[in-house]
Amino acid sequence: MIEQITAKDIITSYHGRKLRIMEVCGTHTHEIFRLGIRSLLTDSVELISGPGCPVCVTPAGFIDEAVWLAEERNVTICSFGDLIRVPGSEKSLAGARSGGARVQVVYAPVDAVEYAENHPEEEVVFLSVGFETTTPSSCIAMQKAIEESVTNFSLLTANKTMPSAYRALKDSVDVYLYPGHVNAITGTKLCESLVEEGISGVVSGFTANELMAAIAVAIRKSEEGKPFFVNAYPRVVTREGSVAAQQMVDDMLEEIDTEWRGLGIIPSSGLQLREAYAAY
């Protein structure tokens, strides 16, 4: 009879060399805590919470600029709700709103375009904050504004990309738990290439079984003693990713050095509109 070894067996029985695993995604961190996965780990495994969500790493200077636009230029700021209370140097957008500034919560970037269409007398700025997962939606909003000749809509960009962050943090971690939704857009080719730089990682989904499996894979592959990459979320993540989304972002945005709250400037980790789209 063949003994069935489960992910839980691997996780709870590992007593090898110290293994530092960083979950990059804030949703992974939330689910790991909610599910009690840390309580299953031996002292030989350390889970490190990484950059988390894009809102968490948005610098105070970006918030300051948005507040200035709202208060000094009488611009209507449209933003996802989780950015409203993020502190700037002196106040948050919520603070600006309480003082009379126009700050609108939207659920998608295209909602900001629709708001601009319905309020042609207002200059409307959408705060484009996100990693590779949500950046395409800002591009779609800009496409809509162009197609419908909405001239009072623009983006204030704080979009970020993960590859340079992986490189910047690599000395603090042995294995990354790559975020499944980011890799659904980017594909796995980049993560595969990072192996050549000595960076190991496993793409993980978000359920208990998927997270446990990814951690177990990270432990087993680390025991081989060489850099590796495994896609443990194949039902969603492919090698090519979303080619259409990648092309749209590349057409409209270009890489820049950018600041991450708590991490400082990371080269080539940000995105800004290309000169052709300067009007937005």
Side-chain angles (χ1 to χ4, degrees):
M1 181 176 179
I2 299 176
E3 183 181 3
Q4 297 294 316
I5 304 297
T6 67
K8 182 178 179 181
D9 293 332
I10 294 171
I11 291 171
T12 57
S13 64
Y14 177 71
H15 293 283
R17 70 173 181 86
K18 185 74 171 183
L19 185 61
R20 301 166 301 170
I21 301 175
M22 176 180 285
E23 80 275 3
V24 177
C25 170
T27 304
H28 279 167
T29 299
H30 179 274
E31 288 302 289
I32 285 168
F33 273 105
R34 187 181 70 84
L35 296 165
I37 290 176
R38 289 177 183 270
S39 66
L40 301 175
L41 303 175
T42 68
D43 291 340
S44 294
V45 178
E46 178 185 7
L47 277 182
I48 303 171
S49 297
C53 71
V55 170
C56 300
V57 295
T58 297
F62 179 80
I63 303 299
D64 294 341
E65 189 169 359
V67 168
W68 180 83
L69 286 170
E71 293 186 332
E72 303 298 327
R73 298 297 297 273
N74 200 32
V75 163
T76 297
I77 297 295
C78 288
S79 172
F80 297 136
D82 54 1
L83 196 63
I84 300 299
R85 297 189 181 278
V86 174
S89 298
E90 297 182 358
K91 67 176 70 173
S92 65
L93 287 163
R97 183 170 60 183
S98 67
R102 294 194 303 272
V103 179
Q104 297 287 329
V105 173
V106 296
Y107 296 97
V110 292
D111 294 343
V113 179
E114 292 174 2
Y115 180 93
E117 284 183 293
N118 295 328
H119 299 80
E121 74 285 359
E122 299 178 21
E123 188 65 34
V124 178
V125 172
F126 175 72
L127 303 186
S128 184
V129 173
F131 294 140
E132 290 91 339
T133 313
T134 55
T135 297
S137 62
S138 291
C139 294
I140 290 171
M142 192 165 61
Q143 281 185 333
K144 178 180 173 67
I146 293 169
E147 291 168 1
E148 299 182 8
S149 300
V150 181
T151 58
N152 61 322
F153 169 83
S154 56
L155 300 177
L156 183 63
T157 57
N159 300 87
K160 291 177 170 56
T161 57
M162 290 307 305
S164 293
Y166 295 146
R167 295 184 177 98
L169 296 169
K170 67 178 183 178
D171 292 336
S172 302
V173 22
D174 300 307
V175 184
Y176 286 111
L177 284 189
Y178 291 129
H181 43 26
V182 167
N183 286 89
I185 299 297
T186 64
T188 63
K189 288 187 288 185
L190 169 72
C191 296
E192 293 169 16
S193 68
L194 290 175
V195 175
E196 300 173 6
E197 301 176 37
I199 299 174
S200 296
V202 180
V203 178
S204 176
F206 301 90
T207 68
N209 287 340
E210 288 165 342
L211 282 163
M212 293 279 284
I215 294 171
V217 168
I219 290 172
R220 277 293 169 87
K221 292 294 292 183
S222 293
E223 290 176 322
E224 296 177 6
K226 57 184 179 181
F228 63 88
F229 168 75
V230 177
N231 178 12
Y233 196 30
R235 69 184 179 89
V236 173
V237 175
T238 65
R239 189 169 192 272
E240 299 300 324
S242 174
V243 175
Q246 295 167 26
Q247 183 173 354
M248 178 171 57
V249 170
D250 187 57
D251 287 345
M252 293 186 170
L253 302 170
E254 61 185 358
E255 284 188 351
I256 56 169
D257 300 343
T258 196
E259 180 184 355
W260 296 53
R261 187 187 291 256
L263 296 174
I265 300 291
I266 298 180
S268 302
S269 66
L271 294 170
Q272 68 178 9
L273 290 173
R274 293 187 182 275
E275 185 62 30
Y277 299 97
Y280 294 89

